[in-house]
Amino acid sequence: MPVRATKRGVERTHLERDCDVLVCGASFAGLAVARELAGAGARVLVVDRYEIGERQTSACAMPTNWMTALDLMGSWRQSFDRLVVHTPFHTARWQLPWSFSTFDYRELCALLWQQASSPQLEFETATVTGRDGTTVRTDRGELRAPLIVDALGWRRVLSNATAIQPPNARLSRGLEVHPPGRGEDLELWIDASYIRAGYSWSFPAGDELRVGVGSFWPSHRVKEPTVRLAGDLDLPAVGYQGNWIPHQLRRAVEDDVFFTGDSAGHCLPLTAEGIRTALYFGLACGRELRAVLEGRSTREQALRRYAAFSDSHARKYRVLLGAQRLAGQLTPSRALTAAVRAVENRRVAAWIFQQYLAIAPPSFAGAGSRSLPRARLAAAHA
Ligand SMILES: Cc1cc2nc3c(=O)[nH]c(=O)nc-3n(C[C@H](O)[C@H](O)[C@H](O)COP(=O)(O)OP(=O)(O)OC[C@H]3O[C@@H](n4cnc5c(N)ncnc54)[C@H](O)[C@@H]3O)c2cc1C
């Protein structure tokens, strides 16, 4: 049994704090924000309802070049330079121009936290319940900061707008099991016998497999097909984890709060790839916050610039959402199989996957002010 690290009962003492930056959520997006603030000399408080890395939130696969760019290979499990895609009529092998890697969630979070480390950085476990202006309410008390980030995932807890709730909200849903086992291929199933609109997967990660089903329609159940797929692969359905996945971009700034990752709908439609984009927009958000802390911009300028940065991706998100809707209608037709076959052509696959990677390119990871030596930073802003 895993030991629960999160403070419970009497250990959950009262927490009342003022800080310069309050980052709510300590998964991919929140930790990427904190990483960009390392050494900025500010009081940064990160809160999450669980200890860092305690609760895995995804199948944990992302482009390998993002892992190397962020120096996260210490959490690496396996890499794949092709995708094996099954439809009821054909199995295709798509050769990728770059590889995907699986990783260990807890280890990756620990690495990001290490990179964020600075004397005035603190972490507290607390459940965020809401916000009044620059005061964030938690189950342990009130936290205040002029700069607030919501990296809390799809619930978008710090928004005071009307809550969106599944199954009516624009959300996909995903569920997976983590049986012990080994595999060589990253496999996808586009097969209506598992899910009508969506896809199923098996991601090998060292000595475990992550087998699951994602539905583009929130009202479609994913548990039964997940168990069935595991059974079809002769695997026990053990180690469940699942969540809702937003598939539409939302406002990245609301009421002077920065929203990043799933809370801003940054997960990509069609593929439900949300780790790379949570890191990407988290870094972008962190860089804007750092500019405020270093006196290079005002809070208002940072809010405007970050919102504009997120909005500048809207067309690409719309294209992917259009493809997601189309894919939902084509399943399980021969037209879809023809499309899957077309990507077997290496040049077609290279073009598609390069365009896809360019939505949030790994070069962005090294482009921030955090990675510049202090002398160059000073010169750049002189
Ligand atoms: C089954 C499944 C498999 C997936 N597989 C992949 C994959 O292989 N690759 C990929 O790129 N994407 C995958 N995704 C999508 C990906 O998981 C998300 O897009 C990604 O986790 C978003 O990161 P985030 O940091 O924005 O939010 P999250 O990872 O959801 O993190 C939110 C954080 O906020 C904390 N939190 C939430 N509410 C509160 C609260 N009220 N108070 C305090 N803390 C709170 C949570 O504990 C968590 O730490 C998958 C999703 C699912 C459901």
Side-chain angles (χ1 to χ4, degrees), residues 57-69:
T57 52
S58 82
C60 293
M62 72 165 138
T64 315
N65 43 26
W66 261 92
M67 290 188 67
T68 49

Side-chain angles (χ1 to χ4, degrees), residues 147-190:
L147 298 168
I148 299 175
V149 179
D150 180 330
L152 294 166
W154 69 269
R155 275 194 192 81
R156 204 176 159 90
V157 181
L158 296 185
S159 166
N160 284 333
T162 315
I164 43 160
Q165 289 295 338
N168 301 322
R170 295 212 156 116
L171 296 165
S172 300
R173 69 192 311 185
L175 180 71
E176 64 186 21
V177 288
H178 293 189
R182 291 188 176 271
E184 294 302 317
D185 287 313
L186 206 59
E187 292 180 86
L188 300 181
W189 285 262
I190 307 174

Side-chain angles (χ1 to χ4, degrees), residues 223-247:
K223 182 161 182 192
E224 184 279 326
T226 300
V227 172
R228 189 153 42 85
L229 175 60
D232 291 348
L233 298 173
D234 282 331
L235 296 164
V238 292
Y240 285 90
Q241 74 92 14
N243 208 347
W244 297 98
I245 311 169
H247 58 232

Side-chain angles (χ1 to χ4, degrees), residues 185-204:
D185 287 313
L186 206 59
E187 292 180 86
L188 300 181
W189 285 262
I190 307 174
D191 185 338
S193 70
Y194 291 120
I195 198 76
R196 170 79 184 81
Y199 66 92
S200 314
W201 62 86
S202 170
F203 289 5

